[in-house]
Amino acid sequence: MSAVQRHAIVVGAGIGGLTAALALGRRGWRVTVCERAAAPSAAGAGIVLAPNALRAFATIGFDITRAAGRTLPAAMGLRRPDGRWLNRADGAALAARYGGPPLALHRSALAEALTTALPAGTVRHGVAVTSVDDADGSPVVRTCAGDLVGADLVLAADGIHSPLRRQYFPDHPGLRHSGETAWRTVLPADASRAEASTAETWGRGERFGVVPLADGRIYVYATAVAPAGYHPADLRRELLRRYGAWHDPIPALLERIDPAAVLQHDLYDLAAPLPRFHHGRLAWLGDAAHAMTPNLGQGGCQAVEDAAVLGHLLADAGPADVPAALAAYSAARCARTDAIRVRARRAGRIAALTHPLATAVRDLAVRATPAGAAYRAMDALFDGFVLPDGMHTVPGGVGARW
């Protein structure tokens, strides 16, 4: 590794940006994270870290279970509005197949744990990056405060509406609306036994999800086919109208929702893949690189994978080696993330069907799918993460293939 001090600037303090900062910091980089928000937010929603994301975290020596604990739902799967299960996976079987169960926690808890693992002062809040100039040579980061900051590497983790993506890919078609909107919130802990299962319920053009979090709270979300920009005047009435007659515990959960704490976002993904994830010394990750709909629960997980691969490829890279390392990152990540983006889009189209006959055929097909086939469909997601050399190297441990 070069003795020259290497400096990386990460644009955005979301899950991908913070994970990338940690991955680089633990490999000897000096890292500055610029975040436009004035302060961390306690608002937000849950995130399910699938086994592939937990394995990616392990490659940088970060164990989120120490901060969040570990939960193993007795069951998880898909249901109909009348409560019947369309499919159901045993939590212990998932853990046995993939080396551990998924972990569900509040996004703010994950962000806090990542920030705490970074050196003090790494994250600069209230600093919006407006542009990155000369990414081919010596990148200069311009901020809202007028700062001109030089760096050996810039990572654009600036989200689904990434200004840096628009700056460097002006001809890209950008985002595509999926035809759905989503509501998300986190409810206080409740001892209700009915809330112990992780489940998503499919209706006609509507879905409702229930996810117990590691800290005992309940993450709930709902989606509905709706035009872009749709916002009901009375949110509580809207949710009760759509989901109030569905199976338990959905009606009780709806009664506990505080409309002021509900996040609503239209669902988008990239209309087409980016041609590459890098430009000189600048690289994109997470939603900035491969925004996808949440239908597979892989958006945040893929951002964590991106960060782990970047940390691995840049570990021993001196300043002169950065462009080649970022080209290797593009080669390693473009195909996998785009395949998942396309798969998530297709899954969303199936889940959002509205015609009674189409939904009946869909439900029958899901129920008829053998458990083995369902697991094999998950294998590409949960077992698909590898570092570019095909090995998972855990700092302080021995390289091992998962």
Side-chain angles (χ1 to χ4, degrees):
M1 181 175 68
S2 171
V4 177
Q5 177 65 64
R6 302 166 298 170
H7 182 211
I9 294 178
V10 179
V11 184
I15 302 305
L18 291 172
T19 305
L22 185 61
L24 291 174
R26 290 186 171 182
R27 288 168 170 85
W29 285 75
R30 179 169 65 91
V31 184
T32 303
V33 179
C34 297
E35 167 54 46
R36 66 167 63 99
S41 173
I47 182 172
V48 177
L49 296 174
N52 56 301
L54 296 174
R55 292 170 180 174
F57 274 135
T59 68
I60 61 174
F62 179 71
D63 184 4
I64 184 57
T65 63
R66 293 185 179 181
R70 185 176 285 273
T71 59
L72 182 59
M76 56 194 79
L78 297 175
R79 305 180 77 173
R80 289 174 24 142
D82 62 9
R84 274 195 290 173
W85 289 89
L86 296 173
N87 68 23
R88 196 173 189 179
D90 177 72
L94 280 174
R97 187 177 185 94
Y98 300 113
L103 176 66
L105 67 162
H106 199 290
R107 284 179 177 267
S108 65
L110 176 56
E112 181 180 1
L114 288 165
T115 302
T116 300
L118 292 168
T122 297
V123 182
R124 298 178 58 194
H125 283 95
V127 179
V129 170
T130 57
S131 67
V132 174
D133 299 331
D134 194 21
D136 285 314
S138 299
V140 175
V141 176
R142 300 178 183 272
T143 76
C144 61
D147 298 337
L148 300 177
V149 185
D152 300 299
L153 164 70
V154 180
L155 298 182
D158 52 345
I160 190 169
H161 299 288
S162 172
L164 292 178
R165 186 180 66 226
R166 293 195 299 270
Q167 179 185 348
Y168 279 88
F169 298 99
D171 297 326
H172 188 271
L175 299 174
R176 168 194 172 276
H177 183 233
S178 70
E180 292 183 278
T181 193
W183 299 276
R184 299 176 295 161
T185 193
V186 174
L187 302 177
D190 188 283
S192 171
R193 199 175 151 195
E195 294 174 357
S197 295
T198 296
E200 184 170 283
T201 302
W202 286 3
R204 291 168 47 190
E206 297 169 336
R207 287 177 281 169
F208 196 97
V210 180
V211 183
L213 301 183
D215 62 6
R217 289 183 288 177
I218 306 294
Y219 169 42
V220 298
Y221 62 89
T223 71
V225 173
Y230 172 76
H231 286 273
D234 188 328
L235 177 58
R236 182 180 296 278
R237 178 177 295 179
E238 176 83 355
L239 296 178
L240 287 171
R241 177 182 68 83
R242 289 182 180 275
Y243 314 102
W246 288 20
H247 64 80
D248 291 334
I250 293 174
L253 293 172
L254 290 173
E255 292 296 334
R256 293 170 54 194
I257 285 177
D258 173 9
V262 175
L263 303 175
Q264 180 178 356
H265 294 97
D266 293 332
L267 300 182
Y268 290 88
D269 67 355
L270 283 189
L274 291 182
R276 60 191 180 281
F277 290 170
H278 74 288
H279 183 103
R281 296 174 177 273
L282 169 63
W284 288 261
L285 69 152
D287 282 345
H290 45 68
M292 59 186 68
T293 54
N295 301 299
L296 300 179
Q298 281 289 310
C301 296
Q302 290 305 304
V304 174
E305 286 192 16
D306 290 343
V309 170
L310 281 164
H312 173 73
L313 291 170
L314 290 159
D316 296 319
D321 304 320
V322 168
L326 296 187
Y329 162 70
S330 275
R333 297 298 297 158
C334 284
R336 173 163 167 80
T337 56
D338 195 57
I340 295 173
R341 178 188 66 86
V342 172
R343 185 173 166 183
R345 177 184 292 183
R346 291 172 178 167
R349 287 173 177 167
I350 293 171
L353 290 171
T354 58
H355 192 281
L357 179 59
T359 57
V361 171
R362 174 199 67 192
D363 293 354
L364 180 62
V366 173
R367 291 185 65 191
T369 301
Y375 281 126
R376 287 192 294 273
M378 290 188 285
D379 288 347
L381 298 178
F382 296 166
D383 276 341
F385 168 67
V386 292
L387 294 175
D389 59 4
M391 300 293 286
H392 292 273
T393 304
V394 180
V398 178
R401 184 180 296 277
W402 287 88

